[in-house]
């Protein structure tokens, strides 16, 4: 597919050097491959949270929905249940997914609804100017923690594994080839997939130098072994020394939520006319 087909005209307002650019370009390429593989473009749906990451919906011209901050997962789950033949991609921030929306993430992992969740983990609240998030390091000085963050960060991969996620992976915005492979596998995975992307916030938490030294590609790892995945997930806990594995930590095939969801024999159709009338009020 010619990627111009999904280019949007909205002005890009991300800061120069922001890791979101490579996620955007990678996702566009993956969407192109999905369409080339036979999925109609209108059957690929993006759901976004609120934050710098969420603007990705403005920059890709496909069906999309902005959820409330932290609430993109329930929206995505509902879309998938109503339209099981659609590919549903959720984009969330670390504040969005691991703070405000944590319970949604854990229950989505437990439920195994077939949605792909891509977390732009820049380890700060970027849009609101760099406050500490659940993955900021201890001691982090942001506008809400001028004397340094007291709490320790938690480990989202370990949390997702504990909650029962059937696909858990980590990517890095500066390793685009690896990221493309991971996101492609995640989208093709029939179940809930969490892709935690170390997305560098060039303005409020620039980690390029640190991550570039620490990251490595997972090899000789048995992604079918949950215990091995937990050990790998624990290898790095946001320090500046330990190796940071990139790749698929865990992958398991089990029944998805929407397959076992008891739908009524006659699924009610949305009343398009009444929706159109409501939308007209905003024009
Ligand atoms: C319920 C709610 N609380 C707070 C906000 C204000 N708010 C908007 S974006 C944001 C931070 C987003 O951080 P993150 O999810 O990490 O995304 P990033 O901007 O870093 O991509 C906050 C707190 C909001 N919009 N809604
Ligand atoms: S504030 Fe950070 S995350 Fe937001 S656009 Fe700028 S560099 Fe990117
Ligand atoms: Mg963030």
């Amino acid at each position: 597919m010619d990627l111009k087909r999904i280019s949007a005209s909205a002005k890009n307002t991300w800061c120069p050097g922001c890791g979101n650019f490579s996620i955007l370009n990678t996702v566009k390429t993956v969407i192109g491959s999905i369409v080339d593989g036979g999925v109609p473009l209108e059957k690929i749906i993006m759901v976004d949270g609120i934050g710098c990451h969420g603007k990705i919906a403005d920059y890709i011209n496909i069906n999309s929905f902005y959820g409330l901050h932290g609430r993109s997962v329930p929206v995505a789950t509902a879309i998938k249940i109503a339209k099981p033949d659609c590919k549903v991609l959720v984009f969330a921030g670390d504040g969005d997914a691991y703070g405000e929306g944590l319970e949604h993430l854990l229950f989505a992992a437990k439920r195994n609804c077939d949605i792909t969740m891509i977390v732009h983990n820049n380890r700060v609240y970027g849009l609101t100017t760099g406050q500490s998030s659940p993955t900021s390091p201890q001691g982090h000085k942001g506008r809400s923690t001028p004397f340094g963050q007291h709490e320790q960060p938690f480990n989202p991969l370990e949390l997702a594994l504990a909650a029962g996620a059937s696909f858990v992976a980590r990517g890095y915005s500066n390793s685009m080839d690896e990221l493309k492979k991971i996101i492609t596998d995640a989208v093709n995975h029939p179940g809930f997939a969490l892709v935690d992307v170390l997305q560098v916030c060039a303005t409020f938490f620039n980690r390029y130098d640190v991550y570039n030294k620490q990251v490595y590609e997972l090899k000789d790892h048995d992604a079918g072994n949950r215990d091995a995945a937990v050990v790998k997930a624990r290898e790095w806990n946001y320090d500046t020394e330990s190796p940071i594995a990139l790749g698929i930590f865990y992958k398991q095939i089990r029944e998805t939520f929407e397959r076992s969801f008891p739908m009524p024999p006659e699924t009610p159709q949305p009343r398009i006319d009444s929706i159109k009338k409501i939308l007209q009020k905003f024009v």
Side-chain angles (χ1 to χ4, degrees):
M1 184 188 78
D2 184 352
L3 294 185
K4 281 193 198 128
R5 205 174 144 198
I6 54 171
S7 293
S9 56
K11 184 173 179 251
N12 193 307
T13 57
W14 286 329
C15 313
C18 176
N20 282 329
F21 285 103
S22 40
I23 300 181
L24 169 68
N25 291 330
T26 305
V27 169
K28 281 167 95 171
T29 321
V30 173
I31 290 174
S33 319
I34 304 173
V35 172
D36 291 341
V39 177
L41 189 56
E42 63 275 15
K43 289 197 184 287
I44 305 171
I45 301 173
M46 290 171 75
V47 184
D48 300 68
I50 304 298
C52 295
H53 64 275
K55 296 182 192 176
I56 196 166
D58 299 339
Y59 309 145
I60 303 183
N61 189 16
I62 62 171
N63 288 325
S64 58
F65 189 103
Y66 265 113
L68 295 174
H69 189 36
R71 311 293 172 219
S72 43
V73 169
V75 173
T77 305
I79 291 172
K80 185 68 191 180
I81 292 170
K83 297 276 173 202
D85 58 335
C86 288
K87 293 267 182 206
V88 183
L89 280 73
V90 179
F91 295 84
D94 46 319
D96 204 50
Y98 305 145
E100 280 78 358
L102 180 65
E103 77 282 21
H104 296 302
L105 162 61
L106 298 181
F107 278 90
K110 177 174 178 287
R111 241 170 238 140
N112 202 34
C113 196
D114 181 13
I115 56 181
T116 301
M117 182 163 186
I118 296 167
V119 180
H120 302 219
N121 184 1
N122 55 22
R123 304 175 57 198
V124 283
Y125 287 95
L127 188 71
T128 45
T129 67
Q131 295 86 352
S132 286
S133 86
T135 53
S136 302
Q138 202 172 29
H140 174 253
K141 288 190 179 170
R143 292 176 69 171
S144 58
T145 51
F147 306 113
Q149 170 63 272
H150 168 77
E151 300 157 27
Q152 291 186 343
F154 61 42
N155 184 326
L157 302 192
E158 206 180 336
L159 275 175
L161 287 164
S166 61
F167 184 107
V168 176
R170 183 193 287 131
Y172 173 34
S173 58
N174 213 21
S175 298
M176 280 176 75
D177 289 344
E178 179 72 11
L179 188 61
K180 187 179 168 199
K181 272 192 266 167
I182 294 169
I183 296 180
T184 304
D185 272 10
V187 172
N188 289 327
H189 173 70
F192 178 79
L194 173 74
V195 183
D196 178 82
V197 184
L198 295 174
Q199 170 256 314
V200 173
C201 170
T203 302
F204 296 110
F205 199 56
N206 193 329
R207 301 313 262 180
Y208 282 118
D209 287 349
V210 184
Y211 290 160
N212 286 346
K213 284 194 203 124
Q214 287 176 282
V215 293
Y216 75 98
E217 199 176 322
L218 257 182
K219 284 202 175 104
D220 303 322
H221 166 72
D222 178 6
N225 182 332
R226 196 161 163 277
D227 292 340
V230 173
V231 170
K232 269 290 157 207
R234 286 183 179 155
E235 192 174 60
W236 176 58
N237 201 19
Y238 295 109
D239 58 78
T240 51
E241 306 290 330
S242 310
I244 305 175
L246 304 178
I248 299 166
F249 286 58
Y250 186 58
K251 192 171 173 172
Q252 174 209 40
I253 303 295
R254 66 170 203 267
E255 191 177 38
T256 61
F257 182 67
E258 63 280 5
R259 272 194 163 264
S260 56
F261 191 81
M263 289 296 268
E266 296 264 323
T267 309
Q269 292 302 308
R271 288 156 60 192
I272 300 291
D273 287 346
S274 55
I275 295 171
K276 272 189 188 157
K277 264 189 211 156
I278 295 169
L279 290 177
Q280 277 302 326
K281 291 184 188 165
F282 296 94
V283 177

